[in-house]
Amino acid sequence: MCGIVGTVDYDVPPEQRRELLRAMTDTMACRGPDAEGLWSGPSAGLGHRRLAVIDPEHGQQPMTARHEGRGAVITFSGEVYNFRELRAELAAHGHRFRTACDTEVVLRGYLQWGAGVAERLNGMFAFAVWDEHAEELLLVRDRMGVKPLYYWPTASGVRFGSEPKAVLADRALPRRVGAEGLCEVLDMVKTPGAAVFSGLAEVRPGQLVVVGRGGVRRRTYWRLEAREHADDLPTTIGTVRELLADTVSRQLVSDVPLGTLLSGGLDSSAVTALAARGGPVRSFSVDFRDAADAFVSDAVRRETDAPYVRELARHVGADHREVLLDAPELSDPAVRSAVLRATDLPPAYWGDMWPSLYLFFRAVREDVTVALSGEAADELFGGYRWFRNPLALRAATFPWLTAGSARYFGGNALFRRDLLDKLDLDGHRAARYAEAIAEVPVLAGEPEPDRRMREVSYLNLTRFVQTLLDRKDRMSMAVGLEVRVPFCDHRLVEYVFNTPWAMKSFDGREKSLLRAAVADLLPRSVVERVKTPYPATQDPGYEAVLRAGLAGVLDDRDAPVRPLLDLDLARAAAGRDAGAVSRPYDRGSLELVLGLNSWLAEYEVTLDL
């Protein structure tokens, strides 16, 4: 995995952009701690920071190549899991390779097939190719959006990078956020292509962006399609198993130490068990040090992960490490600052999961460079409660923002009512929902219940999962750890997306299809375990630190978030004037205010409201 950056300036000489290209590349040091490289031509410059995973001795980037008189330069981030097959195909076309890495395969694939190379790739990736003959830049992002890629069109070209910070290294670009951008921050709705900062855009999953002298062109090379599912249940179960086993096998290819992230749930256990079939596997789990003695069961987390993790590790013979966190670490200012710098946005939702993931990945990186995760299985196979909640299914909005689920993603309670009215969050959410529903592919003759479940599946696979993939990418790459996601393999996604809901829930439980496909690999306790979310601290001291932080904001008249707050409500939430307001405040409200304040200050954001 790596960090990529670049600039195109048709009207600016190379010597005038060299310092900018260096500054942009330096922002990606965490994503690529092993090596760096710069390339500059008459109209474009590319930068690269490398995390060496395949062929560490070679594969330096940006990489150049020529074929039949045509030259191109690439800066690439990610992994291509079918690069060996493509390499053989390209060799048959006369290409001669200098390295054993997948980057050269992608570059030579471009020289052979042009932008059509994207459709041939199996993997997670974001890359840019500068075509020296056409004088055009091609930006490509993988089908599910596992790897990020941002760009800012300018009057004479474009700036691009793996993260917003790379683009914003150009101080000539204004750091402004309008009402639409603030809505993206305040609501649990991620709009594909939107990037909060005015002027900044994100390459959508499955999209190509071409930048030339005539401007910017965009084309979708992959999208979910509705297809008739002809297989019976036994065949479907077998196909899911075959596809998952193949993608896990492909994703085990690495020239550096590799492991798996294990929670003891169905998804990560399946990945770990399949990985163990190929040889010894290292696995890693996370929990809080006091969980064994102080854990209290609630409606969300009924039990701790540890017993299931240990049983699965014994079952498959994994070399397992338990990473135990102390709750005070989550509020360490250095950790909070590192999380903010990694996200370039307020880590508003998921609360303490951001710092705990960062700390977990930092510990995992001590032992391995690559880890496989069970992320995206819930979105693909229907693991969340809202897939089975009739009220959520009938609601004309995103199902995770309906009663029963929305409380886990809320956080606007402390803001001024007139501000929220002006932003019209409800209207923003309704518009984004209507856009998403309009995209859903239609299967002729599909009965209404199946049609609605197709819509819900689409919303999860194109909106909700993006928030999780972003979180995992930023927290892992902040410490130079590459996390792979087998459940995002596009072949598996296409197949399961078109499997009728009756098959996905045939045993009356969540993720029926996945459970049946991997049951023989797992202990019975793991197979039967009810879905449990990622661990969260139950230490009351953590919330006390948040309240103290809010009190500090109230005491600082120059705090940038202060004008946005309902000060009476904020004082009550901070533990002041408690008698004046009786309503409780959850962590989400506190996290959002503190995160937004730090972001506005550190990134010098101007709000255009």
Side-chain angles (χ1 to χ4, degrees):
M1 201 64 60
C2 306
I4 66 173
V5 306
T7 176
V8 174
D9 284 296
Y10 291 107
D11 302 328
V12 178
E15 58 272 14
Q16 293 185 16
R17 63 167 179 270
R18 194 166 294 133
E19 186 176 341
L20 171 60
L21 188 60
R22 164 64 64 186
M24 294 173 68
T25 304
D26 287 346
T27 66
M28 297 289 95
C30 287
R31 296 185 75 93
D34 297 330
E36 67 174 1
L38 301 175
W39 175 88
S40 186
S43 300
L46 306 181
H48 189 265
R49 292 288 310 209
R50 187 184 188 199
L51 177 64
V53 172
I54 301 293
D55 192 10
E57 297 301 317
H58 305 95
Q60 287 75 17
Q61 297 186 52
M63 183 181 293
T64 62
R66 300 191 68 81
H67 183 67
E68 296 181 348
R70 185 181 179 194
V73 191
I74 189 171
T75 182
F76 177 89
S77 171
E79 303 293 341
V80 174
Y81 305 122
N82 64 334
F83 77 97
R84 289 172 174 163
E85 297 98 310
L86 292 174
R87 180 187 176 98
E89 187 175 353
L90 288 164
H93 284 291
H95 290 266
R96 298 295 175 260
F97 290 84
R98 305 189 306 269
T99 75
C101 68
D102 54 353
T103 299
E104 188 177 7
V105 171
V106 178
L107 176 56
R108 292 193 170 277
Y110 173 80
L111 291 172
Q112 183 66 38
W113 301 303
V117 66
E119 299 169 32
R120 296 171 176 263
L121 304 179
N122 177 311
M124 57 178 192
F125 47 82
F127 63 89
V129 176
W130 175 251
D131 189 310
E132 295 180 294
H133 176 72
E135 287 198 304
E136 287 188 338
L137 180 77
L138 173 69
L139 301 175
V140 182
R141 192 173 180 206
D142 67 69
R143 296 168 179 84
M144 290 295 291
V146 180
K147 291 293 101 184
L149 185 55
Y150 295 84
Y151 66 104
W152 189 311
T154 68
S156 61
V158 74
R159 309 281 183 267
F160 72 87
S162 293
E163 297 176 8
K165 65 172 64 66
V167 178
L168 296 174
D170 184 348
R171 300 299 295 185
L173 302 177
R175 300 184 177 199
R176 296 184 176 276
V177 173
E180 287 289 313
L182 190 55
C183 285
E184 291 285 325
V185 170
L186 296 181
D187 205 6
M188 183 59 181
V189 176
K190 180 173 171 60
T191 305
V196 177
F197 291 95
S198 301
L200 185 67
E202 187 174 20
V203 180
R204 291 186 61 150
Q207 187 182 60
L208 308 171
V209 177
V210 179
V211 181
R213 290 185 181 276
V216 177
R217 309 189 304 274
R218 302 169 183 85
R219 177 172 71 82
T220 298
Y221 73 88
W222 181 87
R223 59 167 55 92
L224 286 168
E225 297 179 352
R227 300 168 185 162
E228 192 75 40
H229 186 80
D231 294 343
D232 60 15
L233 181 58
T235 302
T236 300
I237 292 171
T239 301
V240 168
R241 170 63 169 270
E242 179 183 345
L243 287 170
L244 185 58
D246 180 69
T247 191
V248 169
S249 176
R250 288 177 180 271
Q251 296 190 24
L252 291 174
V253 175
S254 172
D255 293 330
V256 294
L258 176 147
T260 67
L261 306 178
L262 178 61
S263 70
L266 181 64
D267 317 333
S268 63
S269 296
V271 170
T272 301
L274 286 168
R277 298 180 77 195
V281 65
R282 303 186 72 175
S283 57
F284 301 84
S285 63
V286 63
D287 211 335
F288 291 93
R289 199 174 302 279
D290 60 354
D293 299 324
F295 177 80
V296 177
S297 177
D298 58 31
V300 179
R301 285 187 60 82
R302 302 179 185 179
E303 56 196 355
T304 62
D305 292 339
Y308 299 94
V309 166
R310 292 165 187 166
E311 184 172 6
L312 190 282
R314 286 194 300 269
H315 185 75
V316 303
D319 176 8
H320 185 72
R321 175 186 172 188
E322 294 183 358
V323 176
L324 298 178
L325 305 178
D326 293 308
E329 293 180 272
L330 303 180
S331 51
D332 182 333
V335 172
R336 308 292 285 194
S337 179
V339 169
L340 177 62
R341 289 195 306 271
T343 59
D344 297 327
L345 292 171
Y349 300 105
W350 313 102
D352 60 282
M353 293 184 189
W354 287 93
S356 67
L357 258 184
Y358 172 83
L359 292 166
F360 176 42
F361 289 153
R362 189 173 70 178
V364 172
R365 183 62 174 89
E366 296 170 358
D367 296 323
V368 299
T369 306
V370 177
L372 272 65
S373 164
E375 200 79 271
D378 288 308
E379 291 78 12
L380 183 57
F381 289 96
Y384 298 117
R385 294 183 181 182
W386 55 72
F387 278 94
R388 297 174 302 283
N389 180 345
L391 292 177
L393 296 177
R394 288 197 298 268
T397 191
F398 298 99
W400 53 90
L401 295 178
T402 56
S405 299
R407 66 181 183 272
Y408 303 118
F409 307 116
N412 300 323
L414 301 180
F415 292 95
R416 293 188 348 249
R417 175 48 53 189
D418 63 315
L419 171 66
L420 298 178
D421 290 343
K422 182 178 180 180
L423 292 174
D424 188 15
L425 286 172
D426 289 341
H428 176 267
R429 183 183 297 181
R432 301 293 82 77
Y433 176 75
E435 290 171 358
I437 289 298
E439 295 174 5
V440 180
V442 176
L443 182 64
E446 189 169 45
E448 171 58 27
D450 286 339
R451 183 196 63 80
R452 179 53 180 166
M453 294 312 299
R454 183 182 294 279
E455 291 177 343
V456 171
S457 177
Y458 186 89
L459 295 173
N460 278 268
L461 289 170
T462 63
R463 268 62 176 181
F464 190 78
V465 78
Q466 285 297 306
T467 64
L468 276 69
L469 294 174
D470 282 354
R471 183 185 65 181
K472 186 148 289 182
D473 173 83
R474 302 306 193 278
M475 294 302 94
S476 62
M477 294 310 297
V479 297
L481 176 71
E482 174 177 295
V483 175
R484 300 175 178 178
V485 277
F487 287 105
C488 283
D489 182 285
H490 71 278
R491 301 166 303 161
L492 180 65
V493 171
E494 290 171 349
Y495 186 79
V496 176
F497 176 69
N498 284 293
T499 301
W501 179 249
M503 288 189 179
K504 295 179 186 176
S505 58
F506 73 87
D507 66 359
R509 291 192 55 187
E510 78 283 357
K511 295 183 284 194
S512 310
L513 193 55
L514 177 61
R515 182 177 295 103
V518 299
D520 63 305
L521 299 172
L522 309 175
R524 179 51 49 184
S525 63
V526 173
V527 173
E528 297 300 330
R529 188 185 184 194
V530 175
K531 174 177 170 53
T532 301
Y534 181 86
T537 181
Q538 295 183 329
D539 184 349
Y542 177 71
E543 187 166 320
V545 171
L546 296 179
R547 293 183 186 278
L550 178 58
V553 168
L554 293 172
D555 290 339
D556 180 4
R557 292 192 172 275
D558 294 325
V561 77
R562 202 173 188 274
L564 308 181
L565 300 179
D566 182 314
L567 295 180
D568 289 335
L569 296 180
R571 290 188 188 100
R576 301 175 178 179
D577 304 330
V581 182
S582 60
R583 61 178 295 178
Y585 297 93
D586 58 22
R587 287 183 186 174
S589 299
L590 301 169
E591 293 273 9
L592 180 53
V593 169
L594 296 179
L596 186 58
N597 189 65
S598 297
W599 176 63
L600 291 170
E602 185 163 333
Y603 283 75
E604 301 175 346
V605 175
T606 298
L607 293 178
D608 291 329
L609 305 178

